[in-house]
Amino acid sequence: MNLDVLTYLFVGLSFALYIGIAIWARAGSTQEFYVAGGGVHPAANGMATAADWMSAASFISLAGIVSFAGYDASGYLMGWTGGYVMLAMLLAPYLRKFGKFTVPDFIGDRYYSNTARTIAVVCVIFISFTYIAGQMRGTGIVFSRFLHVDIDTGVLIGMVIVFFYAVMGGMKGITYTQVAQYCILIFAYTVPAVFLVMQVTGHILPQTGLGATIQESVNPVWAGKPVLFVLDEIVQDLGFHEYTTGTRSTIDMFFITAALMAGTAGLPHVIVRFFTVPKVRDARASAGWALMFIAILYLTVPAVGAVGQLNLINTINGQQGEGTPYPQMPQWFKNWEQSGLIAWNDRNGDGRVQYASGDAFLGGKPVLTDKYGDLGQRLTANPMIDTEASPGFDPALQPYANEVFVDRDILVLANPEIANLPDWVIALVAAGAVAAALSTAAGLLLVISTAISHDLLKKTLLPEINEKQELVAARMASVAAICIAGYFGLNPPGYVAATVALAFGLAAATFFPAIFMGIFVKRMNREGAIAGMLVGLISTMAYIVYFKFMGGAKEDLFMGISPEGFGTLGMLMNFMVAFIVSSATAEPPEDIQALVDDIRIPRGAGAAQNH
C-alpha cells in the first residue's frame, strides 16, 4: 500500500470517526450544546481539554519554532504549560462554582453590567478569530502535502469537516470527538518521535534525546558527540545564532512567557471546558488530567525539534557539508517543493542544494510559478538576489549563501519522510496533524457561536427568545464563524504558532485580569473592569496591528518587547486602570460582594445555569 493510499485511509477513517461521534452525541438542548450537559468525567474532560488546547500550533508548529529558534522557543514551552497550573489553581474551580456557560456570562453577572458582557463578547471574537487563523492554516498545510492540493483548497476542506461536527454536536459532540482526537494526535506525535530519536541517538525515550550522543550511521563527523553540542557547532558554522543561547532580550522572553501563561489561564475556549464537569472538585481534577496529557507531548517537543534540525541540515548539506546535487535530493524534498513550503534557488549555479543562514529569495518567501528548471526544480518569480547584499548572509561566518526556503511549519510533518520512516508512520502524522488543527478549531467556533447566541442575543439584545431559537442562532453563528475563520486561514498574519501567540496575548490583556479580580477582589466594580478590559484590548490590538500588519520597525518596539509579549504589558495596564477606576467609583452592590465570598468557597456547585 503506497503512501497516498495510506494517508487517504488514515485521514478518511479519522474523519468518519469524528462525524460518527458528532451524530451519536448530537446536542438536543442548549445545555448540551454549550456545556455537554455538565456530566463529563474529569479524565475524559482532561483529555478533551488537552486536544482542545494542543492545536496545530502545538502539533505542527511548536517543534518547528524549537528547531529554528533554539533557546528563544523555550518561552513557548514554559508559558503554554505553566499557564495550566495557574488555571487549575486560580480560576477553574471558582468559575465552575459560579456555574455559568461562558466567560462573558461570568463577567456580565459578576460586574452586573450588560456593557461588560458585550465588551467580553468582543474580546472573545477578537481572541478566537486570531487563534483560529493558525488552525485553519495548519489544516491547509497538512492537506496541501498529503492530499496533493494547494493550501487554499486544504483550508476549504477543513472548513467542511469542522462544520459537520461543530454545528451539529455542539459541546457534547465536540467533547467526545476531542477525546478521540487526543488519542490520535498523541499517538501520531510520539510514535515518530521514538523512531527519530532512536535512529539518531539509539535512545528509546524522546525526553532524553537532547542529552544523548549521535550515532556514527547518521554522520561519522558527529559520532559520539551530544546532540546539543553538535547543533551549537553546526548552526554557528552555517551563520546561525548558537542554538542553546537566545537572541531575544531577557525582558522580551519574560513578557512572552508571562503573556502565554496568563493567556492560557484566560482563554475562553479552554475555560468553558471546566463548565462541562459535574462538580467543583472535578474542575480541578480536569485541569490536573489535562496537564498530564499535555506534558506527554510537550516533553517530547524539544527532542523532535533538535533532531529534526540535525536531519534537515544533514540531508540537504550532506555529510561533508558541501551541499547535495539536486538530482540526488531525496523524494521528500521534491514532495514538499510541490506544495510551495520548500523552495530552492540555485544562486551560485553549481546545481547543489545548500542550506545556511540568510534569505534564499528576495522578499523572504518564494513566489511560485508553474515552470520547472533544467534539473526539475520548481521555479519562482522572485527577482534574482545579490549574494553579497543578501539579508542575513555573512561571508565571514558561513561557507556559502543560503539557497533553500523552508517553512518552519512543515518540520513535524516532514520529519518522518526526512528520516525515511515507514509510510504508515507518515500517514499517521497526517491524521494526527488534522486532528490537532480541527479539534481546536471546533472548540473556538463553539465559543464564538455561544458568545453571539447566548451572551449577545439571549442575555443582551433579544432576551425573549426561547431555547429552540437560541440553539438555531448558535448554529447559524457557527456557520458564519466558519466562513470568517476560513478567510483568516487563507490570509494568516504569520506562522501558525506565532499567530496563536497573539491570541494568547489578547486573552492575557483582557480576560485574565477581569476574571482574577472578579474572583479575588470584592471591591472591583463594573466601571473598573470595563475600563481595564478596554485599555488591555485596545493597547494590545493596536501594538499587534502596527507591528504585524503596518510594517512597524524592530527598533520602534517599546522596551524591545515583541508583539507576542505585549499582552503582558496590556495585562498590567488592565490591572492598574481597573484598580484606579474602581477606587474612584462606587462599591459593587451587597449581593455582588456576597456572591464573590460564595465563589471563593469552591464547594456546593450545581449544574450550569441558563437564566
Side-chain angles (χ1 to χ4, degrees), residues 539-550:
S539 62
T540 306
M541 274 301 295
Y543 199 82
I544 288 171
V545 169
Y546 178 70
F547 285 103
K548 287 290 182 180
F549 299 100
M550 295 175 65

Side-chain angles (χ1 to χ4, degrees), residues 210 212 214 222 225-234 236 244:
L210 287 181
I214 297 174
W222 303 345
K225 298 176 182 177
V227 170
L228 286 178
F229 177 84
V230 172
L231 261 178
D232 270 350
E233 197 174 66
I234 60 173
Q236 286 184 93
T244 54

